[in-house]
Amino acid sequence: MHFYRQLTPVRALSFDLDDTLYDNRPVIQRVEQAMFTWLTQRLPSHIAVDVDAWQRLKQQLAAADPMLKHDVSAWRVETLKIGFMQLGVRLKQAEALAQQGLEVALEVRNQVDVPDETHRVLKALSAHFPLIGLTNGNVDAKKIGLAPYFVEVFQAGKDGLAKPEADLFNLATQTLQLPASSILHVGDHLKTDVYGAKLHGFQACWFNDQNKPILQQSKALTLPDVEISQLSQLLTIVGLEQK
């Protein structure tokens, strides 16, 4: 735990979900493997699934319509739809297949192993502070067992533009009816979470379980107020456990 600034009294906390409350990397790997298998089953046998080509299409679509990056579900649907159409599938069938693909992705996406320590810390915090979830991803907090700890979970796309834009942070302050300066935002991403939180008046806690030197990180646009390597350190920060 490292303090860069003195914290002002914390009255609520907001949390990023992916890679902060659980390791999302193996989840995404399983999602992409499931999509590869699904595409293999849906495409004619003489057409091989070119993963690189699908990724290039995904980035091309985002370049043409940057708003897609604010809604990862819509981005996946659009990529699948256009990809199928480029292979000769008619519009209505391509749209139906794209929705099926999203359902396949979401089913695997919500198979998350949340660590016992995360449950312990969130349970302890939620007994004393209101908690808000702010995610740029499309995980379902109810399906992975985290919803009971939060007053609300706001999701980019459905609820506004992705962090570090203001939308989700503003929803947090409006819901909590608290000044942003009294809310501690906790997240692993130096741009979307730390920079986003500081930009919109929150206090920022960088969850750095990889022990990365902050001054060597290209996404470090501003310093957090505090850096932690374990979620349990939050209990000390807010006074629920002794140092």
Side-chain angles (χ1 to χ4, degrees):
M1 183 163 51
H2 182 81
F3 286 90
Y4 296 93
R5 305 180 188 86
Q6 184 175 353
L7 292 174
T8 57
V10 174
R11 297 173 61 188
L13 295 93
S14 59
F15 282 88
D16 171 56
L17 303 186
D18 296 339
D19 292 319
T20 298
L21 300 181
Y22 47 84
D23 185 356
N24 198 48
R25 289 162 295 187
V27 179
I28 296 304
Q29 290 173 0
R30 292 195 297 271
V31 168
E32 296 309 324
Q33 181 57 53
M35 292 305 299
F36 177 85
T37 301
W38 179 80
L39 282 169
T40 301
Q41 295 167 346
R42 292 299 179 278
L43 294 177
S45 58
H46 67 278
I47 300 178
V49 178
D50 186 338
V51 174
D52 291 337
W54 284 94
Q55 285 298 319
R56 285 195 299 273
L57 174 60
K58 179 181 179 182
Q59 296 308 320
Q60 289 165 2
L61 291 173
D65 182 3
M67 289 300 292
L68 285 173
K69 288 189 175 182
H70 293 280
D71 188 333
V72 292
S73 291
W75 192 6
R76 185 179 292 277
V77 167
E78 189 68 8
T79 302
L80 289 169
K81 183 187 77 174
I82 298 300
F84 278 117
M85 291 178 68
Q86 289 179 347
L87 293 171
V89 177
R90 292 178 180 270
L91 175 58
K92 285 193 174 181
Q93 185 181 0
E95 290 175 338
L97 285 168
Q99 286 298 325
Q100 290 176 25
L102 176 63
E103 291 171 10
V104 169
L106 290 178
E107 181 177 358
V108 180
R109 179 72 178 86
N110 289 310
Q111 296 171 5
V112 177
D113 295 321
V114 178
D116 290 342
E117 183 70 347
T118 295
H119 285 289
R120 184 184 78 85
V121 172
L122 292 181
K123 182 178 180 180
L125 288 171
S126 63
H128 296 83
F129 300 92
L131 309 182
I132 294 277
L134 305 178
T135 179
N136 285 355
N138 55 1
V139 73
D140 188 325
K142 292 180 180 177
K143 291 183 178 179
I144 66 172
L146 291 180
Y149 304 118
F150 294 107
V151 175
E152 291 284 354
V153 175
F154 295 113
Q155 187 179 85
K158 179 172 67 73
D159 296 311
L161 300 181
K163 300 171 295 180
E165 300 298 330
D167 296 25
L168 302 188
F169 293 104
N170 286 345
L171 284 171
T173 57
Q174 292 165 14
T175 300
L176 295 169
Q177 291 294 292
L178 290 171
S181 59
S182 69
I183 305 170
L184 179 64
H185 180 70
V186 183
D188 70 294
H189 201 284
L190 282 164
K191 182 177 180 180
T192 61
D193 290 309
V194 172
Y195 172 72
K198 296 302 296 179
L199 181 64
H200 303 299
F202 286 53
Q203 299 184 84
C205 174
W206 182 35
F207 178 63
N208 179 24
D209 63 334
Q210 304 296 308
N211 292 311
K212 299 174 183 177
I214 192 168
L215 296 180
Q216 296 177 19
Q217 305 308 306
S218 61
K219 292 183 172 61
L221 303 179
T222 188
L223 288 174
D225 296 286
V226 60
E227 173 185 332
I228 62 173
S229 58
Q230 300 174 36
L231 279 183
S232 59
Q233 292 171 322
L234 287 171
L235 302 179
T236 301
I237 288 172
V238 300
L240 297 182
E241 284 188 1
Q242 296 298 316
K243 296 181 181 180

